[in-house]
């Protein structure tokens, strides 16, 4: 029944997963550019964002057309809505990666602090891990994996706290102020990528349980999932 | 001001729970159907139906062909009485009174519980006489003009026909004829309107008018609609009952699979069979 409709849904989901792979590549590129002070690579990352945007638009238009023509309901409706949200989260992650690339270009001629760079690389790896978990949880309809994103996010937050401690130590050093301030933005960006991965996890939970649920809630920290 | 202070502590999930609670406000039960089984001869059409229908709501009955949804709705005003082989078991309580109980007059049942059919079936008489027919038969002859006008207004047809009330009803368009049938049904001021696929023979614009009309009518009436158009159920109904087909050694028969608030049926149905049907994966 409704074979073409199912094909369209499958195609959209495949495009979403492709977009996720591109986001991972953009993020890895921006982290490498940062670590190696590679301006050329930073430019590649900025240009590569267009590919992500193309996927983003393709999914938006696909969902718009599907809603207009097919009137999805029940699981199909939840899948479409979850894809709509996830698409936006992925696109934001790519934008954040572009921000890292731009910041990298601004301070490419400054000798970095190795400890801070290490913290950022650590946060970056954790963000990558979270994106992979979020995408796999979506693909495998895995509620447990989706919920595990909260714990992974805590690890990024912890790295971020260590990063801040180090920032306080060196921010007064001559010649480091601009670099450190830019890196605070990079750290904030990586932390936000982690939050978006958690949000994708929430969409997976919605898809599977039909309940709108925030895994963590800043105003109710005691009620973590 | 105090509300503004308390709002931030309300999590989205709490708001959702509170909304659910509000939607389940107790309503008066019009029909309480208990263990209904309806058969034609040895063929069981529906079996084991337990269902409550609430006042001033639109309840949709959906399901595949042969699931017994039309048989079911016809049981609600004893329309099946005319079929010689028809038998039923179980109870249909209408405000606590057994519709098939001793001493219950089918004519009185049909006055209180009106019905409109798939195919508009106006009498070959004037528009006025079509609407006035049932009140006349029931002896409701006082203020007949007013009654006819009120019914035609209730069916959103008055403005279109007020200048040609004496002309034949057969000159009306399909959509107008169907609204005339609704006017005819409400002319005797029933409590319940049963609609058996009322828009399936109409074009989209006429269908939309009927749906808008239903929305207005539920202020005064309790409406039960059988429809094979799932989106119509999703658009108009407060609650939706999904019937499907089951079978055993005695043959195939309709069963009630799931009955819930319409948004629930169309976003997160509880039963796999409902899910498969509403998403088009049935069969």
């Amino acid at each position: 029944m409704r074979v073409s409709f199912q094909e369209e849904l499958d195609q959209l989901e495949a495009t979403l997963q492709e977009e996720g792979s591109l986001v991972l590549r953009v993020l890895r590129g921006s982290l490498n550019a940062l670590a190696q002070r590679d301006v050329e690579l930073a430019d590649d990352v900025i240009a590569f964002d267009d590919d992500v945007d193309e996927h983003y638009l393709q999914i938006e238009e696909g969902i718009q057309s599907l809603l207009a023509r097919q009137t999805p309901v029940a699981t199909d409706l939840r899948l479409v809505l979850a894809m709509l949200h996830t698409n936006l989260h992925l696109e934001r992650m790519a934008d954040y990666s572009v921000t890292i690339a731009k910041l990298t270009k601004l301070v490419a001629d400054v000798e970095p602090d190795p400890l801070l760079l290490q913290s950022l690389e650590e946060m970056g790896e954790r963000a990558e891990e979270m994106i992979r978990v979020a995408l796999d949880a979506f693909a495998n309809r895995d509620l447990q994996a989706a919920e595990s994103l909260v714990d992974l996010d805590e690890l990024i937050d912890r790295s971020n706290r260590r990063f801040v401690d180090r920032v306080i130590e060196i921010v007064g050093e001559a010649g480091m102020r601009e670099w450190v301030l830019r890196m605070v933005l990079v750290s904030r960006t990586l932390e936000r990528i982690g939050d978006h991965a958690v949000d994708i996890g929430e969409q997976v939970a919605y898809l599977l349980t039909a309940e709108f649920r925030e895994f963590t809630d800043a105003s109710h920290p005691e009620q973590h999932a | 001001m105090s509300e503004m202070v308390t709002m931030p502590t309300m999590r989205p999930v709490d708001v959702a729970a509170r909304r659910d609670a509000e939607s389940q406000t107790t309503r008066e039960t019009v029909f309480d159907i208990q263990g209904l089984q309806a058969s034609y001869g040895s063929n069981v059409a529906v079996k084991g139906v337990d269902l409550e229908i609430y006042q001033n709501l639109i309840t949709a009955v959906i399901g595949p062909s042969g699931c017994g949804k039309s048989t079911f709705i016809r049981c609600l005003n004893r329309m099946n009485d005319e079929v010689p082989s028809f038998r039923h078991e179980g109870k249909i309580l209408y405000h606590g009174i057994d519709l098939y109980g001793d001493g219950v007059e089918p004519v009185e049942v049909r006055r209180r519980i009106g019905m409109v059919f798939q195919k508009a079936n106006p009498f070959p008489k004037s528009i006025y006489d079509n609407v006035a027919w049932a009140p006349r038969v029931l002896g409701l002859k006082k203020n007949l003009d007013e009654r006819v006008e009120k019914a035609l207004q209730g069916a959103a047809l008055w403005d279109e026909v007020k200048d040609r009330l004496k002309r034949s009803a057969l000159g009306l368009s399909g959509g107008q004829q169907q609204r005339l049938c609704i006017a005819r049904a409400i002319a005797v001021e029933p409590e319940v309107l049963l609609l058996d696929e009322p828009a399936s023979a109409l074009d989209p614009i006429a269908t939309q008018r009927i749906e808008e009309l239903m929305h207005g009518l539920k202020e005064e009436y309790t409406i039960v609609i059988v429809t094979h158009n799932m989106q119509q159920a999703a658009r108009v109904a407060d609650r939706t009952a999904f019937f499907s087909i089951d079978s055993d050694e005695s043959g195939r028969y309709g069963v009630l699979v799931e009955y819930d608030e319409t948004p629930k049926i169309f976003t997160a149905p509880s039963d796999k069979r409902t899910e498969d049907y509403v998403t088009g994966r049935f069969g």
Side-chain angles (χ1 to χ4, degrees), chain A residues 1 6 74-76 78 223, chain B residues 11 266-267 275 278 280-281:
Chain A
M1 302 286 105
Q6 187 59 51
T75 312
D76 297 336
R78 300 204 302 274
Q223 301 195 29
Chain B
R11 295 180 304 155
F266 287 95
T267 56
E275 170 93 32
V278 297
R281 289 180 179 83

Side-chain angles (χ1 to χ4, degrees), chain B residues 220-279:
Chain B
E220 284 186 61
Y221 307 96
T222 300
I223 298 176
V224 184
I225 173 174
V226 165
T227 175
H228 66 244
N229 179 340
M230 274 185 290
Q231 283 314 307
Q232 183 166 67
R235 285 192 297 266
V236 304
D238 300 291
R239 295 183 68 86
T240 296
F242 169 60
F243 281 65
S244 187
I245 302 165
D246 225 337
S247 63
D248 58 21
E249 63 282 357
S250 67
R252 286 154 62 85
Y253 50 85
V255 288
L256 172 66
V257 172
E258 188 167 351
Y259 176 49
D260 212 322
E261 305 270 331
T262 299
K264 174 83 166 50
I265 295 285
F266 287 95
T267 56
S270 305
D271 195 288
K272 174 85 169 51
R273 289 169 289 175
T274 316
E275 170 93 32
D276 286 349
Y277 184 74
V278 297
T279 58

Side-chain angles (χ1 to χ4, degrees), chain B residues 22-43:
Chain B
E22 277 171 1
S23 69
Q24 281 166 10
T25 319
T26 39
R27 287 191 174 265
E28 182 157 344
T29 301
V30 176
F31 290 104
D32 180 3
I33 297 137
Q34 302 171 354
L36 177 69
Q37 174 169 325
S39 325
Y40 301 103
S42 61
N43 292 330

Side-chain angles (χ1 to χ4, degrees), chain A residues 19-223:
Chain A
E19 184 185 8
S21 307
L22 292 183
V23 168
L24 280 167
R25 280 173 65 186
V26 176
L27 175 59
R28 182 31 57 194
S30 72
L31 291 168
N32 288 345
L34 176 71
Q36 295 150 18
R37 289 193 278 162
D38 186 337
V39 173
E40 213 172 303
L41 181 55
D43 280 331
D44 284 349
V45 166
I46 293 164
F48 197 59
D49 185 47
D50 289 349
D51 284 11
V52 176
D53 288 347
E54 205 173 291
H55 279 70
Y56 169 80
L57 280 175
Q58 202 181 323
I59 293 167
E60 285 280 315
E61 285 166 6
I63 288 177
Q64 175 180 279
S65 155
L66 196 111
L67 287 173
R69 293 176 299 108
Q70 302 280 15
T71 327
V73 294
T75 312
D76 297 336
L77 175 64
R78 300 204 302 274
L79 175 60
V80 169
L81 292 179
M83 287 197 289
L84 194 64
H85 284 281
T86 300
N87 189 33
L88 189 59
H89 290 305
L90 289 174
E91 193 271 337
R92 293 310 300 272
M93 288 175 176
D95 286 349
Y96 282 131
S97 304
V98 168
T99 301
I100 296 174
K102 285 181 176 168
L103 290 165
T104 296
K105 286 176 70 180
L106 288 173
V107 290
D109 51 353
V110 181
E111 189 62 37
D113 174 67
L115 283 177
L116 273 189
L117 261 194
Q118 200 189 323
S119 288
L120 290 175
E121 173 59 25
E122 194 181 296
M123 286 179 74
E125 282 172 13
R126 288 186 168 151
E128 288 175 313
E129 168 72 1
M130 288 182 75
I131 296 171
R132 277 189 211 102
V133 170
L135 291 171
D136 289 349
F138 200 118
N140 302 326
R141 307 291 191 263
D142 185 341
L143 183 60
Q144 215 177 344
E147 287 173 344
S148 77
L149 285 159
V150 177
D151 299 329
L152 294 174
D153 195 39
E154 178 54 30
L155 296 177
I156 287 204
D157 292 349
R158 226 178 275 169
S159 304
N160 193 30
R161 285 195 285 275
R162 277 201 297 278
F163 172 89
V164 170
D165 291 344
R166 178 65 184 157
V167 164
I168 291 166
E169 274 174 42
I170 66 163
V171 73
E173 288 177 17
M176 288 303 280
R177 190 166 297 147
E178 187 192 351
W179 187 83
V180 167
L181 287 177
R182 306 272 189 216
M183 291 309 108
V184 168
L185 285 180
V186 171
S187 145
R188 167 73 180 150
T189 296
L190 291 170
E191 193 266 329
R192 289 297 296 145
I193 289 178
D195 291 345
H196 280 281
V198 175
D199 289 345
I200 293 176
E202 289 173 354
Q203 292 302 316
V204 173
Y206 163 68
L207 168 60
L208 295 173
T209 66
E211 279 174 27
F212 295 106
R213 186 156 60 96
E214 284 189 281
F215 285 170
T216 56
D217 186 335
S219 56
H220 294 77
E222 75 287 358
Q223 301 195 29

